[in-house]
C-alpha cells in the first residue's frame, strides 16, 4: 500500500512541478530573470505576502481580486525555488541569466527539493495528506519568519537548519497544498 501511495505521490508531485515550471518558464520569457535583484529578505517577503493573502482569504471566507489561492501556492513554490537559486549566486550581481540557464537552475533545485520530499515522506508516512490547507499556510508563514530571523543574524544559526532548508520545506508545503487542492488525496 505504501509503495503505491509513493508512486501516486511522485506522479502528483510531478504534475504540480510541471504546472509551476510552466509558470516559471512563461514569466522568465516575459520578464527575464528580473528576480536577480531580490535580496534574501525580499524573496522571504514575496512568499510572506502570498501566504498572508491566502490566510486572510481563509479567515474572511471571501476575496476581492480574481487571483485564486492555487495561483498563490504556485507563486510560493516558485519563489521558494528562486530563493534556493539566489543562495547559490552572487547577491549583488543583477545580471540577467540566460533563459536556458534559469531553467537549468530551476530543474536542479526542483530535483533537490523532490529528493528531500521523498525522504521525509518515507519517514513521516504521508502525514501531509491528513493536514489542512490552513496548516500549510501557517507552516509556510512560520518558515518565512524563521528565514527573516536567520537573515537578521547574518545567516548564522546555532542548532537550527539554515535558510536553504526552510525554502525546501516551503516549496514542499506549497506542493502538498496544491496536490490536496486538486482533490488528489488518494
Amino acid at each position: 500500500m505504501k509503495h503505491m501511495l509513493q508512486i501516486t505521490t511522485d506522479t502528483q508531485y510531478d504534475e504540480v512541478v510541471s504546472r509551476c515550471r510552466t509558470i516559471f518558464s512563461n514569466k522568465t520569457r516575459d520578464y527575464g530573470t528580473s528576480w536577480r535583484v531580490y535580496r534574501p529578505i525580499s524573496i522571504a517577503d514575496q512568499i510572506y505576502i502570498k501566504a498572508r493573502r491566502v490566510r486572510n482569504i481563509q479567515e474572511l471566507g471571501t476575496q476581492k481580486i480574481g487571483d485564486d489561492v492555487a495561483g498563490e501556492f504556485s507563486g510560493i513554490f516558485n519563489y521558494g525555488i528562486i530563493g534556493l537559486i539566489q543562495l547559490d549566486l552572487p547577491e549583488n550581481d543583477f545580471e540577467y541569466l540566460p533563459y536556458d540557464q534559469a531553467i537549468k537552475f530551476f530543474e536542479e533545485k526542483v530535483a533537490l527539493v523532490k529528493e528531500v520530499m521523498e525522504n521525509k515522506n518515507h519517514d513521516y508516512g504521508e502525514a501531509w495528506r491528513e493536514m489542512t490547507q490552513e496548516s500549510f499556510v501557517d507552516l509556510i508563514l512560520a518558515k518565512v519568519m524563521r528565514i527573516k530571523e536567520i537573515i537578521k543574524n547574518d545567516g548564522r544559526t546555532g542548532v537550527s537548519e539554515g535558510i536553504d532548508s526552510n525554502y525546501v520545506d516551503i516549496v514542499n508545503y506549497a506542493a502538498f497544498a496544491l496536490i490536496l487542492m486538486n482533490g488528489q488525496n488518494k
Side-chain angles (χ1 to χ4, degrees):
M1 172 72 171
K2 282 194 177 189
H3 179 66
M4 272 307 280
L5 237 114
Q6 186 59 43
I7 292 170
T8 301
T9 298
D10 287 344
T11 302
Q12 292 169 331
Y13 193 91
D14 290 345
E15 289 169 3
V16 165
V17 168
S18 178
R19 287 194 304 273
C20 291
R21 180 188 305 107
T22 298
I23 294 167
F24 180 87
S25 174
N26 290 341
K27 289 196 174 203
T28 300
R29 287 191 193 284
D30 287 349
Y31 304 132
T33 54
S34 57
W35 46 264
R36 285 290 294 126
V37 302
Y38 287 149
R39 290 173 275 191
I41 194 68
S42 299
I43 296 169
D45 281 341
Q46 287 295 315
I47 294 169
Y48 175 82
I49 289 165
K50 292 182 171 305
R52 185 59 202 231
R53 178 171 181 261
V54 173
R55 185 168 171 155
N56 283 344
I57 291 168
Q58 290 169 342
E59 290 174 354
L60 297 173
T62 185
Q63 67 185 64
K64 291 193 173 188
I65 60 174
D67 299 339
D68 65 1
V69 170
E72 298 295 7
F73 279 116
S74 294
I76 290 167
F77 182 101
N78 283 341
Y79 273 114
I81 296 294
I82 288 169
L84 289 167
I85 294 169
Q86 287 284 77
L87 289 175
D88 289 345
L89 298 173
E91 188 173 320
N92 293 318
D93 180 0
F94 303 148
E95 291 295 315
Y96 279 86
L97 297 173
Y99 173 83
D100 291 342
Q101 186 66 47
I103 298 301
K104 178 179 179 258
F105 286 154
F106 182 92
E107 296 298 337
E108 288 172 359
K109 295 308 176 185
V110 165
L112 165 81
V113 170
K114 184 177 181 185
E115 181 181 357
V116 171
M117 179 277 297
E118 290 169 338
N119 292 338
K120 286 187 174 185
N121 210 30
H122 173 271
D123 289 356
Y124 288 97
E126 304 255 337
W128 62 271
R129 289 190 180 275
E130 305 303 318
M131 295 172 62
T132 64
Q133 188 185 94
E134 290 82 2
S135 291
F136 290 124
V137 171
D138 292 352
L139 288 166
I140 289 167
L141 287 168
K143 294 287 183 174
V144 168
M145 293 173 78
R146 290 177 185 180
I147 289 169
K148 289 181 176 193
E149 284 299 313
I150 294 168
I151 291 168
K152 281 184 199 174
N153 293 330
D154 295 321
R156 292 185 306 272
T157 59
V159 296
S160 302
E161 53 193 15
I163 292 172
D164 57 340
S165 295
N166 284 285
Y167 279 139
V168 167
D169 288 343
I170 286 169
V171 170
N172 281 326
Y173 294 147
F176 292 155
L178 287 164
I179 289 170
L180 295 180
M181 286 179 76
N182 291 330
Q184 298 178 335
N185 193 12
K186 296 173 184 151

